[in-house]
Structure formats: C-alpha cells, structure tokens
Amino acid sequence: MADSVWSERRSGAESMRPGDQRTPWQRDRARILHSAAFRRLQAKTQILGIGQNDFYRTRLTHSLEAAQIGTGLVSQLRSKTSAGLNGILPADALMEALCLAHDIGHPPFGHGGETALNYKMLNHGGFEGNGQTLRIVAKLEPYTQQHGMDLSRRTLLGLLKYPVLQPQLGLAPLPLQNPLNLTPWKPAKAIFAADSDILDWILAPLSDNDRSLFQQVDTLEQSPFIKSRYKSLDASIMELADDIAYGVHDLEDAIVLGNISESQWLANSDWDNLPTALAQQMQQIGAALFSHQHHLRKDAIGSLVNLLISSVSLTEVLPGATEPLIRYNAVLAEAPHAILHCLKQLVYRCVISRPDIQQSRFRCQNMLMALFDAFCSDPSRLLPANTQLRWQQAADALKTRVICDYISGMTDDYAELMYRRLYTNAV
C-alpha cells in the first residue's frame, strides 16, 4: 500500500532527505510526534482537570497508551486474517501515527470546552474535535507553508472518524448573553465546511459509488443533527484503541484515586448475560482491581486489556464497496464489546457525572465562551501578533474560524491564565 495513491501527500512532494529510509507512515508518525499540537496534549484534560493530581492520565499519556493498544489490535488482526486481506492492514507506524494524533484537535477542558466552542461557532460552521484535528494536520501546523503536516492520504483517511461535512444550521443571531445550559448544543460529528477541499482530496481515490456509500448519514432532529454511519478500516482500529484506553485505563485512574468504589463496581457491572467462563473471569478481575496489593490491580488491568484486544476481528461493513479500506472494519466480539460498553458507562456514571466534575466543567465552559467574546470584540487589539496576521489575511467568512483555531489550541492552564488576564486582576 505504501506505493499506492494512498501514500501520496497533498503538496505532491516526494523528495526525502538524503539517506532517509523511512516509510511514508514512519515519516507521518515523526511529524505528529514532533508537532507543537501533540506536545500541548500534556496539559489538556482527559477526565479530571490538569493539576488536581499528578497521577492520572492526561490526553498525552492517553494517546500514548492508545497507540500501544492500537498496534496490539493490528497484531491480533494479522494473526486472524486470511492472506488475501492481510495486505490491507495498516503498518504499525501508521497505526501509531493515528492514535498519537487522534485527540490533537480537542480544545481546552475536554468535551465541555468542545461544546462551548461549538455554541459560539454555530453561525460560523460549528466546532468539533475531530474536525479540528483534520484542520491542524492538514492546514494549521506549520510543517509546510500551505498543507500543515502534509501527511499521507491514508493517514488522513484514518484520522477521519466522521468523513462527512457539517450540516448547514442556518440559525438566527445568537443572544448576547451566553446560555448557562449548553446541553442542547453538542457538536455535529463532522468535518467543517471550510475544509471541504481537504475532505475531497482525501476521498478522491474512491469511485462515485464508494464515496456515496461511505458518506451515508443518519439525520437527527436535534443536536448533534447528523450521525455518519461509516469510517475507514484504519479509523475503526484507532477508535477501538481509543475506547479501550478510555474504558480500562481511565477506570484504573478512578479506582486508584478512590472515585470508584468496589460497591459501585458491583452495582454498575452486570456480567450475568456473559458466557459462564467470561463472567467468572470478570468477577476475578473485579476482585483484583480493588485489591490492596497494587501488583494484582496492575495485572488485572493488563488482563482486561488483553481480553478486549484478543477478541478483535475484521468484518465487512460495506459489501457494495470496491475499496477495501472502507469495505472492512475492525470489531470486537459481542461479549467483549458489551464489557467495554459497561466499563465506559461505569466511568461516565461514577466519575464524569459527579457534581464536582460537572461544576468544574460548567465554570470552564463559561471561561471559554468569555474568551471567545473578548477576542471577537476587538481581534486587532487582543489577539497575539501571529494570529492577528492570520485573522487579517483570512476571508471575512473565515475570520471567526481563525479566532476559534487560536482558542481551541490553548492548553487548560493557558486558557485559564488568559481568562484571568482579560477579566480579573489576578495573573
């Protein structure tokens, strides 16, 4: 696959430095790993706020763990897949690149910050983390003058969780006062209309029929308004790695920090519908997770990850497609998939939904909206010099997008510092 149309770069550049023996995917991984956007993940919220404790995961450590899990999934698929399909599986370097980059579009303060920016951008094309990831790697990160990191086409395809464009909302002007409840404004999972040229280039190798099949959506009556049905093979593996890292490793953080008790585990875990051997294994894992012997907990976490990874297989999701990269996806077997869903729900109910976490999210959302209002009120005075230049050079329809790019790129700490600088005396 490395010699095909999927290894092409948008710039058309094929030159390599003298003596460089790396594959396109190794070069992509290096560009991501050495980018400023990747480094900023060390100071962006995963679940708990940065600075509340020095133990739990940030988006950086989460991405590193997802990369390790991603290559584990690929290894499993290689061992189970027929020779005819083995050739379509991604190289380890490609999978690492996807997992390392999958969260770099997330704004400060996690999904709460994402919803806040989406509300402020409702009349300007919306905001969504995966859409911003594409903007960063294909336009914003200054590796090249015009094409961002200038990653290979297959890498860009693998980063697309939602390979469709944002719907046209056509909303009336927003009220001057920001809403206190942002629940109705969860972002549409899609690529920004302003980046349709990038999406078209990524999907150019697909036939008209394949593209039509691949971009099918379910239309929803309320936010997030649309839901894309399909993703590429590589994106399906990356998303499984993301889900496993979230469901298992964030669970580990919550247990160690005392945010999930053994009684909560038992109350929120129903293994009765699992096959007997798997139910017994989950009961043993549960007992070890809450053991006072730390090595037993660590072994239980490893067993849980292995249980999920080893159940992966390839399945046909688009039988009518001719391009194998969209025809097949990686999936977990039914019972392990149910276990992963249960783990994710446990983290959501017992950690993310806690009042103190939601109160912090409320505060942070309002800080981001206030920052957005400030920079939009007088961008030529308040934006930093390099962003001012981008704002001045942007077409009128994209000037607000430039401001959103700037705010979404902030780390948690920097966003809070900027808020204090603009709105309070404490700096």
Side-chain angles (χ1 to χ4, degrees), residues 183-241:
T183 302
W185 303 114
K186 293 179 181 178
K189 303 297 187 179
I191 303 306
F192 308 136
D195 300 323
S196 61
D197 57 325
I198 306 172
L199 184 61
D200 286 341
W201 182 82
I202 296 170
L203 301 183
L206 300 182
S207 68
D208 290 344
N209 181 64
D210 277 9
R211 179 163 179 171
S212 178
L213 290 172
F214 187 51
Q215 293 189 290
Q216 292 179 71
V217 300
D218 293 320
T219 303
L220 310 176
E221 293 183 358
Q222 58 187 10
S223 178
F225 303 111
I226 64 169
K227 181 178 181 181
S228 59
R229 295 180 183 177
Y230 302 107
K231 57 181 64 66
S232 70
L233 167 64
D234 300 341
S236 72
I237 303 172
M238 176 264 285
E239 192 161 49
L240 277 181

Side-chain angles (χ1 to χ4, degrees), residues 65-86:
E65 289 173 335
Q68 183 271 324
I69 292 171
T71 56
L73 288 165
V74 173
S75 294
Q76 282 289 329
L77 290 170
R78 287 194 190 113
S79 71
K80 297 177 179 179
T81 305
S82 65
L85 290 178
N86 229 303

Side-chain angles (χ1 to χ4, degrees), residues 295-351:
H295 71 281
L296 294 179
R297 179 190 299 126
K298 205 65 187 176
D299 183 65
I301 290 294
S303 297
L304 199 47
V305 172
N306 180 69
L307 184 159
L308 297 170
I309 289 178
S310 60
S311 77
V312 71
S313 63
L314 279 190
T315 190
E316 238 183 349
V317 291
L318 275 176
T322 56
E323 172 53 60
L325 290 182
I326 66 169
R327 184 171 180 168
Y328 297 94
N329 271 192
V331 296
L332 298 185
E334 183 178 355
H337 182 270
I339 290 172
L340 179 57
H341 177 74
C342 183
L343 298 179
K344 290 166 62 180
Q345 288 298 305
L346 179 65
V347 172
Y348 181 81
R349 292 172 189 156
C350 298
V351 182

Side-chain angles (χ1 to χ4, degrees), residues 100-236:
L100 292 174
H102 82 279
D103 266 353
I104 62 174
H106 267 286
F109 312 125
H111 289 291
E114 182 184 39
T115 304
L117 286 181
N118 182 56
Y119 175 78
K120 300 306 292 186
M121 290 293 292
L122 284 175
N123 288 331
H124 306 281
F127 180 84
E128 193 276 327
N130 189 245
Q132 191 66 18
T133 292
L134 183 64
R135 274 185 74 74
I136 289 171
V137 299
K139 282 190 177 179
L140 301 180
E141 188 71 23
Y143 196 96
T144 63
Q145 186 172 3
Q146 294 181 311
H147 302 297
M149 297 184 198
D150 197 25
L151 302 179
S152 304
R153 194 192 312 258
R154 180 167 176 174
T155 302
L156 293 178
L157 178 69
L159 285 174
L160 296 179
K161 289 185 180 181
Y162 322 107
V164 296
L165 292 179
Q166 289 267 355
Q168 294 291 330
L169 297 179
L171 298 173
L174 301 179
L176 293 176
Q177 186 172 353
N178 293 320
L180 295 180
N181 182 5
L182 290 174
T183 302
W185 303 114
K186 293 179 181 178
K189 303 297 187 179
I191 303 306
F192 308 136
D195 300 323
S196 61
D197 57 325
I198 306 172
L199 184 61
D200 286 341
W201 182 82
I202 296 170
L203 301 183
L206 300 182
S207 68
D208 290 344
N209 181 64
D210 277 9
R211 179 163 179 171
S212 178
L213 290 172
F214 187 51
Q215 293 189 290
Q216 292 179 71
V217 300
D218 293 320
T219 303
L220 310 176
E221 293 183 358
Q222 58 187 10
S223 178
F225 303 111
I226 64 169
K227 181 178 181 181
S228 59
R229 295 180 183 177
Y230 302 107
K231 57 181 64 66
S232 70
L233 167 64
D234 300 341
S236 72

Side-chain angles (χ1 to χ4, degrees), residues 387-400:
T387 308
Q388 276 191 42
L389 182 61
R390 280 192 61 226
W391 180 82
Q392 290 164 0
Q393 293 174 344
D396 288 346
L398 296 178
K399 287 186 181 296
T400 309

